[in-house]
Amino acid sequence: MKNGIKFNDTYPDITVSDQYYERALAVQKPITQTLAKGPGQFTKGIAPKYLDRGKGSHVWDVDGNEYLDFNAAIGPISLGYCYPVVDDAIRQQLTKGITFSLMHPLEVELAELIREVIPNAEAVKISKTGADVCSAAIRVARAFTGRDKVFCCGYHGWHDWYIGVTSRNAGIPEAIQDMTYTFEYNDMDSIRAALDDTVAALILEPFIFEAPKPGFLEELAEACRQNGTLLIFDEMWTGFRIALGGAQEYFNVKPDLAVYSKACANGMPIALLTGRTDVMELFDYEVFSYTTFGGEALSLAACMATIQELRDKNVPAYLNEKGGMLKDGYNQLATDLGMAHLTKCIGYNCRSMVTFAPEAGNGLELKTLMQQEMIKRGILWAGFHNMCFSHSEEDISYALSAYRDVLPIVKEAIESGNVKMYLEGDVLEAVFRKTSNYNIKPKVTA
Ligand SMILES: Cc1ncc(COP(=O)(O)O)c(C=O)c1O
C-alpha cells in the first residue's frame, strides 16, 4: 500500500529507496551530487532517498509514495515539475538538436531577454552552474581591479576561492585560502573597517532569511564604490523569486555584477552572469571562461520559456502571496498552540524556513521529528518552504492542516525533555552552509 498526501496510518515503505542506497554506497563516492538532497538531510529509516517523478507541486518516490514537495529541487523548480510550457519548449528544441558545432541563436535571444528583466544586465554571460558564474564573476573582478582579495557572505558553490575558507577545505592550497574573507551580514562598521585597497570584490547573497537593515545594501554599494571594490550579488535564491530581476530589482540597488541560476529554467542546468559592460568586456580577450556545454540549446529554450512564463504570470507576486499564507499560517498555529516561543517560520514569503528556539531543545532532533511526522502525512519536508507557481491554495491548506496535526507532537516531545525518544530514524546532519562570522579579515591598521 503506497502512502499519499493524506494522514497515512504508517510511515512510507521505502524498500526500493533503501536498495538503491545500498547499491550507491558500493559504487558512488560521494553518493549524492547535491549535499542538500542527500540522506544527511532526510532522516534515514523514514524518509525516501530517491525520487522517480514529479508533476506540479507533487513528487513520487521510487517506491510509489506521493508527496507534496516544498524543496523545489533545492531551488530550480520555480514553475512546477513537468510544467507544460517549459517541457514543450524543450521537446520542440529536441527535435532540432541539443548541442551544435557553432553558436546557437537562442544564446542571443536569451541574452536580450535577460537584459530586459535584470536591471544591471548591460552585458550577459551564459554558463552552466552557479559555481561557474560565481567564479567567473570573481575572476573578472580581480582582472578589472588588479586586486586579489575577496569578501564574501553566503554560500557560493564548490570552487577553491570560496570553499577554501570553510571547514571542507581539504585539497585547497593555503595561498588560495588566504585570498578570501567573510564578513558579517548587516554589519557595515565591520565591513568598512576591513575594506582596503587589496579587495577586488565583495560578493553576497543580498538576503538569505534575515532581511537587510534599511539602507544596508545601499551603504554597501557606496562603500564598495568608494573603495574601488566591485559589488557582486549572488542571486541564486533571490533571482526570479523575490522579483524577476531578483534582489537588485526588489531593493532597487544595482550591483556591478550579479549571478543567477536555479529558478531561471525550471530545472534545466543554466547560469547567468550579468553586469557592467566595461567589466564584462574583459571576458572577450583577457579573462578566460568557456565551457563545452555553455550553448546547450535545451537549457536555453527552457530558460527562455521559463522567464517568459514567470513574467507573463507575475509569478513572484504569486509566490509572495501563497508563501505568505503558509508562513503566517504556521506562525499563527504556533501562537494558538502556545508554541510561539519555541518555533517560528522566518524569511521572505517566497522562501521561508521553520526554526526552533534554543530553549526548545536540540534543533536537529526537533527538525528530524518534524520531518518524520510531515513525511508520514505526505509532505517531503526539509525545513524550508521553497515556493513554486504550482503550489495551490489547496496545497497550502493541506500543509497547514499537517502542521496543525504535527506541532502538538513536537510540543509533547519538547515537554518530555527527550525528543530522541520520539524518533524512528537517524538524526539529521547540520546543513552545510556556514555563511558568515568566520575568517573575518582583520581591521585595516593605519
Ligand atoms: C547562493 C548560492 N550560490 C551559489 C551556489 C552554487 O550553485 P551550483 O550548485 O549550481 O554550482 C548555490 C547553490 O546552492 C547557492 O545557493
Side-chain angles (χ1 to χ4, degrees):
M1 183 68 176
K2 314 294 180 205
N3 275 8
I5 303 174
K6 58 185 169 53
F7 290 9
N8 300 287
D9 294 331
T10 58
Y11 299 102
D13 177 358
I14 52 168
T15 309
V16 180
S17 258
D18 281 342
Q19 285 165 355
Y20 274 110
Y21 181 56
E22 289 305 318
R23 285 164 60 186
L25 288 175
V27 64
Q28 285 179 267
K29 306 239 174 276
I31 66 154
T32 181
Q33 320 319 312
T34 308
L35 202 49
K37 298 180 188 178
Q41 296 306 311
F42 291 90
T43 172
K44 282 183 220 145
I46 294 297
K49 297 181 184 63
Y50 293 88
L51 290 177
D52 176 48
R53 67 191 172 96
K55 180 71 194 157
S57 57
H58 296 192
V59 291
W60 286 259
D61 69 15
V62 287
D63 287 271
N65 302 299
E66 182 181 0
Y67 307 87
L68 178 52
D69 181 66
F70 281 109
N71 303 290
I74 325 300
I77 301 299
S78 46
L79 291 166
Y81 293 95
C82 287
Y83 194 85
V85 171
V86 181
D87 288 6
D88 285 348
I90 296 169
R91 261 193 292 270
Q92 211 182 347
Q93 182 56 45
L94 189 57
T95 63
K96 297 197 257 178
I98 302 171
T99 305
F100 298 94
S101 311
L102 293 176
M103 299 182 288
H104 194 279
L106 281 174
E107 297 170 41
V108 187
E109 287 171 25
L110 177 61
E112 286 172 348
L113 177 60
I114 295 300
R115 197 173 47 189
E116 282 173 31
V117 299
I118 296 183
N120 84 335
E122 290 169 23
V124 180
K125 171 176 167 50
I126 300 166
S127 197
K128 275 282 140 200
T129 71
D132 266 6
V133 284
C134 285
S135 293
I138 296 300
R139 186 176 295 172
V140 80
R142 283 174 164 157
F144 185 80
T145 58
R147 302 172 178 182
D148 291 336
K149 297 276 191 318
V150 171
F151 277 18
C152 65
C153 177
Y155 172 77
H156 306 294
W158 73 279
H159 293 178
D160 286 8
W161 71 267
Y162 167 69
I163 283 296
V165 290
T166 71
S167 55
R168 288 285 291 266
N169 60 3
I172 301 170
E174 250 177 67
I176 303 288
Q177 297 175 22
D178 292 345
M179 295 287 165
T180 302
Y181 297 93
T182 71
F183 63 90
E184 272 297 279
Y185 188 68
N186 266 336
D187 182 355
M188 264 324 292
D189 289 344
S190 75
I191 294 165
R192 281 206 191 86
L195 269 180
D196 63 19
D197 64 8
T198 64
V199 185
L202 189 150
I203 180 169
L204 81 162
E205 293 183 66
F207 64 83
I208 303 180
F209 294 104
E210 182 184 344
K213 282 185 189 158
F216 171 67
L217 294 173
E218 290 84 348
E219 283 175 44
L220 197 56
E222 181 55 21
C224 285
R225 200 190 57 74
Q226 282 179 8
N227 196 58
T229 295
L230 296 192
L231 176 65
I232 306 169
F233 278 0
D234 181 337
E235 302 248 29
M236 299 299 156
W237 276 106
T238 48
F240 306 97
R241 282 206 155 82
I242 190 75
L244 214 53
Q248 59 169 295
E249 178 186 335
Y250 188 77
F251 294 108
N252 195 23
V253 175
K254 231 193 248 186
D256 299 294
L257 300 170
V259 287
Y260 296 78
S261 184
K262 293 201 190 276
C264 71
N266 199 45
M268 290 296 276
I270 188 162
L272 308 160
L273 165 54
T274 62
R276 280 167 44 184
T277 306
D278 60 338
V279 180
M280 299 284 287
E281 67 190 9
L282 293 187
F283 282 119
D284 281 338
Y285 295 105
E286 291 89 339
V287 175
F288 192 93
S289 173
Y290 300 99
T291 184
T292 304
F293 292 110
E296 175 267 303
L298 299 188
S299 298
L300 294 168
C303 193
M304 296 277 300
T306 301
I307 293 173
Q308 280 157 352
E309 186 75 357
L310 292 170
R311 179 165 66 179
D312 290 352
K313 302 277 164 63
N314 195 2
V315 170
Y318 183 92
L319 304 186
N320 181 46
E321 187 207 324
K322 294 292 181 291
M325 285 168 64
L326 189 52
K327 187 179 93 177
D328 297 345
Y330 181 93
N331 289 330
Q332 187 59 52
L333 279 173
T335 301
D336 294 348
L337 292 162
M339 296 178 72
H341 61 301
L342 299 173
T343 181
K344 191 169 185 249
C345 185
I346 62 164
Y348 282 82
N349 294 347
C350 59
R351 182 188 178 218
S352 60
M353 175 174 72
V354 169
T355 60
F356 296 99
E359 60 263 38
N362 179 313
L364 284 174
E365 289 175 9
L366 287 164
K367 187 174 168 186
T368 309
L369 176 61
M370 184 86 117
Q371 181 177 78
Q372 157 189 311
E373 295 307 316
M374 293 297 273
I375 281 177
K376 189 175 177 190
R377 288 154 185 81
I379 299 186
L380 192 62
W381 189 94
F384 304 99
H385 303 138
N386 299 335
M387 303 305 296
C388 77
F389 192 49
S390 294
H391 283 127
S392 63
E393 215 159 300
E394 195 189 335
D395 288 338
I396 307 299
S397 302
Y398 179 74
L400 288 172
S401 72
Y403 279 132
R404 195 176 300 115
D405 208 38
V406 167
L407 277 168
I409 301 172
V410 174
K411 188 178 187 202
E412 185 189 304
I414 292 170
E415 284 167 357
S416 78
N418 190 356
V419 174
K420 251 188 164 155
M421 203 175 67
Y422 287 74
L423 301 184
E424 305 281 338
D426 289 1
V427 176
L428 299 174
E429 291 168 16
V431 174
F432 176 76
R433 221 169 199 280
K434 203 157 169 38
T435 53
S436 57
N437 206 15
Y438 60 101
N439 204 42
I440 300 275
K441 189 172 190 296
K443 285 188 179 175
V444 180
T445 44

